[in-house]
Amino acid sequence: MAEFTLDDLKRILRAGAGVDEQTDLDGDIADTRLADLGYDSLALLETATRIEREYGIQIPDGDLEHRQTPREAVAYVNARLAEVQV
């Protein structure tokens, strides 16, 4: 299975929760806190659900919310993908 990338996360964030007018997801956001980008726990729950459906993995409730930055979220999803490939 392909690697989950920051661009994949940006696409899913836009599709699920949209983008605050003040937020520029096209910039270097890898280490910006998701909360500072305007994504609250509800938005991250929606994002987790979309990732689960699209990538066929399970994300336990709250796990994605504990990731502070997009870089951490991408690493977490890739770890979950690696688990299902074993």
Side-chain angles (χ1 to χ4, degrees):
M1 179 175 278
E3 181 179 355
F4 186 76
T5 67
L6 183 58
D7 286 338
D8 295 324
L9 178 62
K10 289 177 183 179
R11 175 180 48 78
I12 291 171
L13 285 169
R14 285 183 178 112
V19 178
D20 186 305
E21 292 179 12
Q22 306 293 324
T23 303
D24 177 15
L25 288 183
D26 293 324
D28 183 14
I29 62 160
D31 295 312
T32 303
R33 292 175 39 93
L34 288 161
D36 292 342
L37 294 170
Y39 294 99
D40 61 12
S41 60
L42 184 58
L44 294 177
L45 179 62
E46 171 67 19
T47 300
T49 300
R50 287 176 178 265
I51 292 170
E52 287 178 327
R53 279 195 311 246
E54 188 170 327
Y55 289 89
I57 60 174
Q58 294 289 315
I59 298 177
D61 288 346
D63 268 15
L64 195 61
E65 296 171 38
H66 294 295
R67 312 303 161 208
Q68 298 293 310
T69 66
R71 183 184 310 277
E72 291 176 7
V74 168
Y76 171 79
V77 172
N78 280 317
R80 299 296 296 180
L81 287 169
E83 287 176 10
V84 298
Q85 292 176 357
V86 174

